[in-house]
């Protein structure tokens, strides 16, 4: 690591006040969101951490669905992140065509539908591709575990998957961007937050934008003068997992049936 970065990180001692302020500003930024995928993960944050500002995200999600008719079938499928008894229309599943999305929904519904025979192979292929494919594989693994499904994976595969996602952050520890935030957030959701270097967490906090978010939206996906909801969700998950001596560990929340 560049010595300048090391010295600067050493000066930035992480305090509970820093974390509370960072979290509050991020919540304020996100709380007005009407993007359905943002609401899905805001609901996840509410379940895991009890963030009261996100308690009504299911109601908000159902309210905005009619605004996205072309995306409605896929959004109805992912609604199971809120509701284990989520109803589907007959052809909704067929509209999920992106491979990483199919991996995720296979995990999301595995307690109801079982896992496809190709699941372990698809999981391994995604990990080998690296980047967002690997992070999505890790999220799928989180949901498989939460749903008490037992895919047959080779010995050592899980550790290799954790290592592949950790390497995304470690490749350039001086930078913070969306893929690194996703790697850190999904490691935290997988209860592997110890693999997310504290120096990286300090940099995440330091790189928070003035509006309370992180990053910038991709072209056409939001106001270019504002932060990205996607990066902000991920950064918030990381910061919410920060624990100080004497505080309770994050509880093991499961989706309600």
């Amino acid at each position: 690591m560049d010595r300048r970065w090391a010295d600067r990180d050493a000066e930035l001692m992480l305090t509970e006040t820093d974390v509370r302020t960072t979290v509050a500003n991020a919540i304020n930024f996100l709380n007005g969101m009407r993007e359905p995928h943002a609401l899905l993960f805001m609901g996840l944050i509410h379940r895991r951490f009890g963030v009261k500002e996100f308690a009504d995200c299911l109601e908000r999600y159902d309210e905005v669905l009619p605004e996205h008719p072309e995306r409605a079938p896929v959004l109805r499928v992912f609604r199971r992140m809120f509701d284990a008894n989520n109803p589907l229309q007959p052809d909704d599943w067929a509209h999920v065509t992106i491979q990483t999305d199919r991996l995720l929904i296979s995990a999301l519904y595995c307690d109801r539908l079982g896992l496809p025979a190709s699941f372990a192979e698809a999981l391994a292929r995604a990990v080998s591709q690296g980047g967002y494919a690997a992070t999505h594989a890790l999220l799928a693994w989180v949901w498989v575990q939460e749903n008490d499904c037992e895919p047959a994976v080779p010995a050592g595969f899980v550790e290799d998957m954790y290592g592949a996602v950790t390497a995304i952050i470690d490749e350039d520890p001086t930078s913070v961007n969306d893929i690194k935030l996703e790697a850190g957030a999904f490691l935290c959701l997988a209860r592997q937050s110890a693999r997310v270097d504290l120096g990286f967490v300090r940099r995440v906090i330091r790189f928070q934008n003035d509006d309370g978010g992180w990053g910038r939206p991709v072209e056409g996906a939001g106001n270019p003068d504002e932060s990205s909801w996607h990066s902000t969700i991920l950064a918030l998950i990381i910061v919410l997992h920060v624990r100080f001596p004497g505080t309770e560990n994050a509880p093991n929340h499961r989706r309600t049936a």
Side-chain angles (χ1 to χ4, degrees), residues 162-179:
Y162 292 153
V165 176
T166 302
I168 294 171
I169 301 172
D170 293 344
E171 181 180 359
D172 176 11
T174 66
S175 67
V176 174
N177 56 29
D178 189 78
I179 183 59

Side-chain angles (χ1 to χ4, degrees), residues 123-156:
L123 199 68
R125 183 165 56 249
V127 171
S128 70
Q129 291 170 354
Y132 286 105
T135 56
H136 281 64
L138 178 56
L139 182 59
W141 183 258
V142 170
W143 287 344
V144 163
Q145 299 300 299
E146 289 182 351
N147 283 326
D148 292 326
C149 302
E150 293 294 336
V153 296

Side-chain angles (χ1 to χ4, degrees), residues 187-206:
L187 283 166
C188 288
L189 292 179
R191 309 203 180 280
Q192 298 296 313
S193 57
R195 297 174 185 264
V196 182
D197 183 76
L198 187 57
F200 177 72
V201 177
R202 289 196 295 265
R203 287 189 289 280
V204 169
I205 290 175
R206 180 161 55 87

Side-chain angles (χ1 to χ4, degrees), residues 34-41 61 64-65 68 71 75 82:
R34 293 179 63 82
E35 161 56 43
H37 281 96
L39 292 168
L40 286 172
F41 280 90
Y61 189 80
V64 302
L65 271 182
H68 304 276
R71 300 166 62 192
L75 293 175
F82 287 116

Side-chain angles (χ1 to χ4, degrees), residues 24-156:
N25 290 338
I27 289 171
N28 287 339
F29 172 79
L30 289 168
N31 209 25
M33 289 291 147
R34 293 179 63 82
E35 161 56 43
H37 281 96
L39 292 168
L40 286 172
F41 280 90
M42 289 159 67
L44 182 155
I45 289 171
H46 172 254
R47 288 194 306 277
R48 183 167 285 216
F49 297 101
V51 174
K52 64 182 186 301
E53 291 88 348
F54 299 164
D56 64 343
C57 283
L58 173 56
E59 290 76 14
R60 285 194 258 171
Y61 189 80
D62 288 342
E63 180 182 299
V64 302
L65 271 182
E67 301 173 8
H68 304 276
E70 74 289 350
R71 300 166 62 192
V74 174
L75 293 175
R76 282 193 296 268
V77 172
F78 276 103
R79 189 180 179 278
R80 200 178 196 230
M81 286 178 64
F82 287 116
D83 179 8
N85 298 311
N86 180 47
L88 292 175
Q89 296 184 14
D91 64 341
D92 283 348
W93 194 279
H95 287 266
V96 184
T97 57
I98 299 173
Q99 289 303 309
T100 49
D101 281 354
R102 292 191 68 84
L103 190 66
L104 290 174
I105 63 169
S106 293
L108 195 58
Y109 285 83
C110 68
D111 58 325
R112 181 193 293 187
L113 302 175
L115 288 169
S118 61
F119 181 81
E121 179 183 350
L123 199 68
R125 183 165 56 249
V127 171
S128 70
Q129 291 170 354
Y132 286 105
T135 56
H136 281 64
L138 178 56
L139 182 59
W141 183 258
V142 170
W143 287 344
V144 163
Q145 299 300 299
E146 289 182 351
N147 283 326
D148 292 326
C149 302
E150 293 294 336
V153 296

